[in-house]
Amino acid sequence: MNRSLWKKIACLALLGSLALPAQAQTQDPATTYSNGKVLLQQQRYDMAMAELSPLINSGSTYAPEASYFYGLAALKSGKTEEAYKMLLQLQNQHSNWEGMADADYLLANVLFEQGEYERALSKLQELQGTALAKDAEGLQRYYLTRLNDRPKYEQLMRRFGSDRTVAQVYADKLIGGWYRPEDRRTLEKLVQEFKLDPNRYLSKSALSRPGFDVALLLPFQLNQNYAQTARKNQFVTDMYAGMLLAQDSLQKQGININLYTYDTGADTAGVKKVLELPEMQTMDLLIGPVYKSTARVAARYAAKNNINVINPLSQDAEMARGNNNVFLFESSVATQARQAATYAYQNFSPKTAVILFENAKDDTTFAYHYRQQFQRLGGKVNVYKKFNPGQASATATTFRDLNLEGAGHMAVFSDKMIAAMNSTSLLQGKAPELPLVTYDKWLDINQITLQQLDFLQVYFISPKFVDKLKPANKWFREQYTKRYNLPPSQYAYAGFEMLFYFGQLLNQYGPQFNGQMAVTGVQPGVFYNGIGYTDRSLRNQLQPDNQYVPITKLENLELTVVNPIF
């Protein structure tokens, strides 16, 4: 909906004579409301606004909700002025609406986007003591972290300096690069008043250097309805939480990493807008975005500006191919398959394989690279067969009719229960000593017990394996739980490991650390058994993804890494 049309609607609404479109006249309000929400969830924001607009002044019970979601759609489409006007209208016309706290939160989000920091902070103060207080604090911290204008921030401090979040972010900015000798007394006052950690803010290492600037381009989705996105975006929250603990740990080593967060989803236009910000030219490293289309935009930016970009979640090597500034933190599917095949060739005899794989794209790709590497090393593939797990009878026949005679090992690439059940049943009956290579996702299939997997010779490809026996793991769980009242997820571990690894590279070699990565090789991580971007079999050439892939096996019901780097 364009701005001129919005003005027409607003004027008609004031006159109380807003005519409904033909569609709305023939469609009941409940259906219109439902359609509008569906369009919003599909990120078709202009269509959602058009669908919801007839309900706004209709007098129906859906009017407040329609106004709220209209404002949310306007914000998501970058029409902050329309969002602002709609939310003010909502407050004026439905002041007793039970969801008004959500509207206040959204209005604060709009004001932040418009650069109205003082008004936004005032609005968030109204949410203190409500169920949205913690969410408001997160929104506040996100935008305050992005504010890199020191005079403007100090103006906020004069008015909101008694707010703990405003004060703590200011302290973070001081030790993150703003610090001058005359700021010492200010920092001491903040540490005392808000009981901040003096080791973090007043130690010699904290005040000795400005540090490195790292931009996080991640889908926080703070301008969406929290209840709808909280679970969907939990992986981002967990990853960021892990990074914050890594930031603290690095600082204790005298390595200052300044994190700047940018909310970037799957919208390429939004990512381009962020990358055009002048401050991006001063960043030492970019982490994200996570989605394929936006990651390509960041990759082009990286090549043009010679800045390294880390994709935190992708396992697609194509995302970094031909670009020396883009790295995947995880191992690509091709690397996982190649490393697993190498381990099988080196450890199982005879050098023959039976390979079965699901007809899904990822499984087919995995099987292709596995067979290619096994044959390149000199192995022979006796069986290479695809199956469809949706056809239970045909799948069972495929496994039952397998000829395992002369096979040195069996590899099955599918995370479906039917594949796991048929594989284990086959081996238990015919060849319990035959090694089986598969995904570690089988460990989560309830229909198979750990005792069964332990009894058989099953080797799991475990790219995200966290060694729980490492001393650092106990410390991390305690610190994470203490700070966030939740146990760390795999994404929390990944966030910590990622920032800690690249933070050390920045400190040792500076932002252009690419050349040194090939020299350092694979090294133990804090929780991971190995991280590195060189492959000895490829003449130590720098690779775009993590080259170490843990292979694990159950021993007395405990997962053990069978291919340690040392």
Side-chain angles (χ1 to χ4, degrees), residues 23 83 222 254 290 306 337 360 375 384 441:
Q23 179 184 3
L222 291 173
V290 300
N306 193 28
Q375 291 177 330
Y384 186 76
K441 294 178 182 178

Side-chain angles (χ1 to χ4, degrees), residues 4-52:
S4 61
L5 183 54
W6 163 258
K7 290 180 178 178
K8 292 179 182 179
I9 292 176
C11 291
L12 288 171
L14 290 173
L15 295 173
S17 57
L18 180 60
L20 300 180
Q23 179 184 3
Q25 292 175 354
T26 59
Q27 186 169 274
D28 66 276
T31 302
T32 301
Y33 174 71
S34 178
N35 290 345
K37 287 188 65 176
V38 169
L39 290 168
L40 179 60
Q41 293 169 353
Q42 294 175 344
Q43 301 181 7
R44 300 161 74 180
Y45 302 121
D46 286 344
M47 295 180 67
M49 292 162 68
E51 186 75 15
L52 292 168

Side-chain angles (χ1 to χ4, degrees), residues 20 52 54 79 129 226 254 259 269 271 433 520:
L20 300 180
L52 292 168
K79 300 172 182 176
Y226 179 78
L259 297 178
V271 171
E433 296 300 318
T520 56

Side-chain angles (χ1 to χ4, degrees), residues 274-514:
V274 168
L275 292 174
E276 289 171 356
L277 294 172
E279 65 211 55
M280 299 305 292
Q281 297 289 333
T282 67
M283 293 296 168
D284 297 302
L285 179 68
L286 306 184
I287 296 179
V290 300
Y291 298 112
K292 199 170 205 177
S293 57
T294 53
R296 289 198 180 101
V297 174
R300 291 193 291 270
Y301 180 88
K304 180 179 178 181
N305 295 277
N306 193 28
I307 181 173
N308 288 330
V309 175
I310 312 302
N311 191 306
L313 296 176
S314 178
Q315 297 182 356
D316 185 356
E318 291 298 323
M319 301 300 297
R321 191 177 301 279
N323 192 328
N324 294 328
N325 291 106
V326 178
F327 299 93
L328 310 185
F329 180 64
E330 296 195 4
S331 304
S332 67
V333 168
T335 294
Q336 292 178 42
R338 189 175 68 249
Q339 298 292 0
T342 300
Y343 178 83
Y345 180 83
Q346 293 174 345
N347 291 276
F348 305 144
S349 294
K351 310 302 181 184
T352 52
V354 171
I355 304 174
L356 285 85
F357 54 97
E358 185 179 329
N359 59 346
K361 179 182 177 181
D362 287 347
D363 301 306
T364 301
T365 302
F366 205 106
Y368 167 80
H369 287 290
Y370 189 94
R371 178 178 66 169
Q372 185 183 56
Q373 176 70 0
F374 193 74
Q375 291 177 330
R376 187 185 72 82
L377 293 172
K380 179 182 178 182
V381 176
N382 293 347
V383 178
Y384 186 76
K385 196 163 187 178
K386 184 187 301 185
F387 63 89
N388 183 353
Q391 299 175 353
S393 178
T395 298
T397 300
T398 297
F399 279 87
R400 186 175 59 248
D401 293 346
L402 279 176
N403 181 6
L404 300 180
E405 185 177 352
H409 79 282
M410 178 177 174
V412 179
F413 302 121
S414 170
D415 60 6
K416 300 296 190 302
M417 180 269 292
I418 190 171
M421 294 287 287
N422 278 285
S423 299
T424 54
S425 176
L426 171 69
L427 293 178
Q428 285 174 344
K430 291 185 177 181
E433 296 300 318
L434 184 69
L436 168 64
V437 177
T438 190
Y439 303 141
D440 63 352
K441 294 178 182 178
W442 281 26
L443 293 164
D444 298 322
I445 297 177
N446 295 329
Q447 289 82 356
I448 302 177
T449 66
L450 293 181
Q451 286 81 1
Q452 287 178 281
L453 296 172
D454 197 338
F455 171 75
L456 297 172
Q457 302 301 306
V458 185
Y459 293 79
F460 303 100
I461 303 164
S462 308
K464 299 178 182 178
F465 177 76
V466 171
D467 190 346
K468 295 180 180 179
L469 298 179
K470 283 197 170 188
N473 184 65
K474 180 181 179 182
W475 166 85
F476 183 71
R477 289 184 64 86
E478 290 177 350
Q479 292 297 313
Y480 191 94
T481 304
K482 180 180 178 181
R483 182 179 292 194
Y484 303 110
N485 295 319
L486 288 170
S489 68
Q490 68 178 38
Y491 296 105
Y493 283 105
F496 185 102
E497 200 77 81
M498 188 187 323
L499 188 66
F500 196 85
Y501 176 78
F502 287 102
Q504 289 184 314
L505 284 177
L506 284 170
N507 183 62
Q508 290 179 276
Y509 310 114
Q512 302 303 318
F513 50 72
N514 313 49

Side-chain angles (χ1 to χ4, degrees), residues 24 56 59 107 130 160 196 210 224 230 285 294 392 405 408 475 511 514 519 547:
I56 293 169
L107 179 57
T130 70
F160 300 98
L196 304 179
Q224 291 196 17
L285 179 68
T294 53
E405 185 177 352
W475 166 85
N514 313 49
V519 179
Q547 293 297 294

Side-chain angles (χ1 to χ4, degrees), residues 191-251:
V191 167
Q192 182 179 8
E193 182 177 353
F194 296 98
K195 295 181 173 57
L196 304 179
D197 182 1
N199 292 325
R200 173 177 169 83
Y201 295 98
L202 298 176
S203 65
K204 183 178 179 180
S205 62
L207 305 179
S208 61
R209 59 173 299 172
F212 298 95
D213 295 336
V214 177
L216 307 180
L217 282 65
L218 300 173
F220 294 97
Q221 297 192 8
L222 291 173
N223 55 358
Q224 291 196 17
N225 181 274
Y226 179 78
Q228 293 178 344
T229 61
R231 182 173 298 178
K232 178 182 177 182
N233 296 320
Q234 187 65 45
F235 75 94
V236 178
T237 305
D238 292 353
M239 187 181 297
Y240 181 54
M243 289 181 182
L244 292 178
L245 284 178
Q247 184 185 37
D248 290 345
S249 295
L250 288 167
Q251 190 172 77

